[in-house]
């Protein structure tokens, strides 16, 4: 298989655009993911008057003049498919002196927003959703926020980040307590922009108000996108694939731990740190996989990679079980159901519960069928990897959302040796 180039990390790219837009000075971002989700964030800040210049080679210059320089957008902000954009901006804009309406596509308009609006309301924010707690989200102007200490009921980096971003412009100590550690890109990047945070175990505090100074940010390549190829290369006997410059932040590497426990042959080398984020090259070789009970403590650090992991499970020897993963039902699609339905179509035995899934592996998958990806990028890309083990071609429908996180996916997959056609 050789070597393929994975695009920039989606979570980190969003944060680079957001923090650069409210910082003072020019922020240079390299390795930025130019996918549809990050473009939604860029579009939102442009609509609020920020000058963001796109250069070649995934580079951006963001000319920030501070939070106070943001202007009222002329119309609603369209966040497309991006939960990270709408949830983080809910916090960031909670105290803006202008009204904002945010919405997005059909999938985003089904995503739960109360997990951010409830704690923000406790801070004094004035926001409104539909009666189901879904977008559109309306923010009223000029809320005077009060700093709070908040214990997150669910492990969510988006909610944690929304509260920390709200806390930046709130007088006093904002503290967020996590039930389990989630991705800490916001904390790391706030520090890169000069913000002082106190982190003690699962408690993160910041004393507001604080302003940000522009920074140079290098975005590592996305381990969530690399995950599809970690699985693909593992499934093909004799294969060897190298992925360079991948973010290996320990809050994101659950997929590596899980695949290794299943027997995958994954080696990290050239480890370094860039813009406060750990990065490494990864080599993966084909290996026989076995089913495991996935340890619950790995769920937050592998939360986006489960669709790919379930494909690995479907091709592993024995049974793989995951429990306590109800959050998977609230992603871009209900990922427990979408994966179960798709895998069953491939002849795989799958049992699901409210927050659990059990997959019994097989030697070969039956192809020749059609999989509905439900407009969920990670479901579509996961089943593309499953095709490697199918006896006949697979058709995967509704794949437009792949561009939200992995522009160029088909080209890169072909480069890695997969036989994919796009129509
Ligand atoms: C993200 C956090 C996670 C993850 C999402 C990106 C982020 O969501 O699933 O793809 O960038 O903060 P939750 O906060 O809902 O777990």
């Amino acid at each position: 298989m050789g070597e393929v180039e994975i695009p920039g990390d989606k979570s980190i790219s969003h944060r680079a655009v957001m923090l650069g837009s409210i910082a003072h000075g020019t922020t240079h971002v390299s390795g930025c993911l130019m996918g549809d989700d990050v473009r939604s964030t860029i579009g939102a800040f442009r609509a609020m008057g920020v000058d963001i210049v796109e250069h070649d080679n995934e580079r951006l210059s963001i000319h920030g003049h501070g939070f106070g320089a943001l202007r009222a957008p002329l119309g609603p902000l369209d966040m497309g498919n991006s939960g990270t954009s709408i949830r983080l901006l809910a916090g960031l804009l909670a105290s803006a002196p202008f009204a904002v309406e945010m919405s997005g596509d059909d999938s985003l308009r089904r995503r739960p927003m109360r997990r951010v609006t409830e704690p923000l309301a406790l801070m004094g924010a004035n926001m409104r959703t539909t009666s189901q707690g879904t977008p559109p989200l309306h923010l009223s102007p000029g809320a005077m926020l009060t700093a709070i200490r908040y214990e997150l009921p669910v492990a969510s980096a988006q909610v944690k980040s929304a509260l920390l971003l709200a806390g930046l412009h709130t007088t006093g100590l904002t503290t967020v307590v996590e039930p389990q550690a989630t991705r800490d890109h916001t904390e790391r990047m706030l520090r890169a922009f000069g913000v002082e945070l106190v982190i003690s175990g699962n408690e993160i505090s910041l004393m507001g108000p604080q302003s940000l100074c522009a920074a140079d940010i290098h975005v590592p390549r996305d381990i969530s996108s690399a995950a599809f190829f970690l699985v693909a290369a593992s499934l093909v006997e004799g294969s060897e694939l190298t992925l360079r410059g991948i973010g290996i932040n320990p809050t994101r590497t659950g997929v590596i731990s899980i695949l290794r426990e299943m027997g995958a042959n994954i080696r990290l080398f050239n480890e370094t740190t860039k813009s406060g984020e750990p990065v490494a090259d990864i080599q993966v070789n084909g290996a026989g996989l076995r089913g495991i009970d996935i340890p619950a403590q790995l769920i937050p650090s592998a939360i986006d990679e489960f669709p790919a992991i379930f494909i690995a499970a479907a091709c592993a020897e024995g049974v793989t079980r995951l429990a306590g993963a109800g959050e998977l039902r609230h992603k871009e699609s209900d990922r427990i159901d979408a994966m179960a339905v798709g895998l069953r179509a491939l002849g795989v035995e799958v049992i699901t519960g409210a927050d659990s899934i059990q997959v019994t592996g097989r030697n070969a998958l039956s192809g020749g069928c059609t999989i509905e990806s439900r407009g969920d990028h990670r479901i579509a890309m996961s089943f593309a990897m499953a095709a490697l083990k199918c006896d006949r071609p697979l058709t995967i429908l509704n794949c437009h959302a792949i561009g939200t996180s992995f522009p160029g996916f088909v080209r890169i997959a072909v480069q890695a040796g997969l036989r994919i056609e796009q129509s």
Side-chain angles (χ1 to χ4, degrees):
M1 275 190 176
E3 194 165 319
V4 291
E5 199 171 317
I6 300 295
D9 187 280
K10 181 153 78 72
S11 290
I12 299 176
S13 299
H14 278 300
R15 287 155 172 85
V17 173
M18 291 179 190
L19 299 192
S21 293
I22 60 164
H24 292 269
T26 300
T27 288
H28 299 283
V29 185
S30 60
C32 191
L33 171 68
M34 298 311 292
D36 297 338
D37 276 11
V38 178
R39 287 191 182 281
S40 296
T41 296
I42 293 174
F45 282 98
R46 282 186 173 147
M48 291 185 285
V50 182
D51 178 19
I52 302 178
V53 183
E54 264 176 64
H55 308 283
D56 294 344
N57 301 331
E58 306 162 329
R59 284 179 308 117
L60 293 180
S61 299
I62 307 171
H63 301 284
H65 297 281
F67 178 69
L70 296 181
R71 291 199 308 263
L74 291 178
L77 299 177
D78 180 3
M79 299 309 190
N81 192 248
S82 179
T84 305
S85 307
I86 194 166
R87 294 203 179 111
L88 269 60
L89 280 189
L92 186 64
L93 297 175
S95 59
F98 46 80
V100 184
E101 180 186 334
M102 294 189 276
S103 196
D105 68 8
D106 290 350
S107 155
L108 192 72
R109 279 187 278 108
R110 286 194 295 268
R111 307 281 301 271
M113 291 298 137
R114 286 201 181 112
R115 52 182 62 200
V116 282
T117 57
E118 281 174 357
L120 289 169
L122 291 177
M123 294 179 78
N126 205 341
M127 27 187 81
R128 196 161 37 83
T129 60
T130 65
S131 54
Q132 285 84 44
T134 52
L137 186 60
H138 297 263
L139 279 63
S140 301
M144 282 294 291
L145 301 189
T146 314
I148 59 167
R149 175 191 162 84
Y150 188 72
E151 295 188 14
L152 295 183
V154 282
S156 164
Q158 292 179 350
V159 180
K160 167 179 68 174
S161 302
L163 298 181
L164 292 175
L165 295 175
L168 278 178
H169 312 111
T170 304
T171 304
L173 193 69
T174 295
T175 300
V176 185
V177 187
E178 301 191 273
Q180 278 176 290
T182 63
R183 64 191 68 194
D184 62 355
H185 306 306
T186 302
E187 297 90 304
R188 288 173 189 255
M189 203 181 290
L190 281 170
R191 282 182 166 156
F193 278 84
V195 171
E196 285 183 23
L197 295 169
V198 178
I199 302 176
S200 163
N202 275 7
E203 238 180 85
I204 307 110
S205 301
L206 79 80
M207 183 62 83
Q210 293 193 49
S211 56
L212 283 66
C213 302
D216 283 351
I217 299 292
H218 169 82
V219 179
R221 305 202 164 261
D222 200 327
I223 190 165
S224 298
S225 299
F228 303 109
F229 293 97
L230 297 181
V231 169
S234 295
L235 293 182
V236 178
E237 215 185 300
S239 67
E240 177 171 309
L241 184 67
T242 303
L243 309 169
R244 300 213 182 261
I246 308 294
I248 53 154
N249 181 315
T251 60
R252 297 282 300 281
T253 47
V255 61
I256 295 178
S257 310
I258 292 168
L259 290 176
R260 276 181 173 159
E261 206 167 320
M262 295 176 77
N265 183 353
I266 299 174
R267 186 171 72 87
L268 270 51
F269 58 109
N270 289 336
E271 290 189 34
T272 178
T273 300
K274 291 188 177 170
S275 307
E277 289 282 351
V279 173
D281 295 342
I282 302 182
Q283 185 187 309
V284 51
N285 287 81
L289 301 182
R290 56 182 173 270
I292 59 163
D293 285 349
I294 299 174
Q297 75 269 16
L298 290 177
I299 294 173
S301 63
I303 191 68
D304 290 340
E305 288 67 71
F306 282 111
I309 291 168
F310 298 155
I311 298 297
C315 306
E317 198 183 318
V319 180
T320 296
R321 293 181 201 87
L322 174 69
E327 273 298 295
L328 293 180
R329 295 202 182 269
H330 305 295
K331 297 296 175 187
E332 285 84 331
S333 70
D334 174 343
R335 287 183 175 162
I336 289 184
D337 192 61
M339 289 305 299
V341 170
L343 285 173
R344 283 181 193 130
L346 303 185
V348 180
E349 190 188 315
V350 184
I351 302 171
T352 62
D355 71 351
S356 65
I357 181 164
Q358 174 178 313
V359 178
T360 303
R362 291 169 57 106
N363 263 341
L365 306 176
S366 21
C369 58
T370 298
I371 304 287
E372 175 51 66
S373 76
R374 308 187 184 185
D376 182 333
H377 53 141
R378 300 201 199 281
I379 301 293
M381 290 186 276
S382 296
F383 279 103
M385 300 302 143
L388 283 168
K389 286 291 198 184
C390 286
D391 51 4
R392 279 161 299 156
L394 269 188
T395 303
I396 307 169
L397 300 179
N398 223 343
C399 296
H400 56 276
I402 286 176
T404 61
S405 66
F406 204 148
F409 169 74
V410 169
R411 177 180 49 79
I412 290 166
V414 168
Q415 224 177 306
L418 279 90
R419 288 162 55 203
I420 305 190
E421 285 161 33
Q422 198 172 1
S423 56

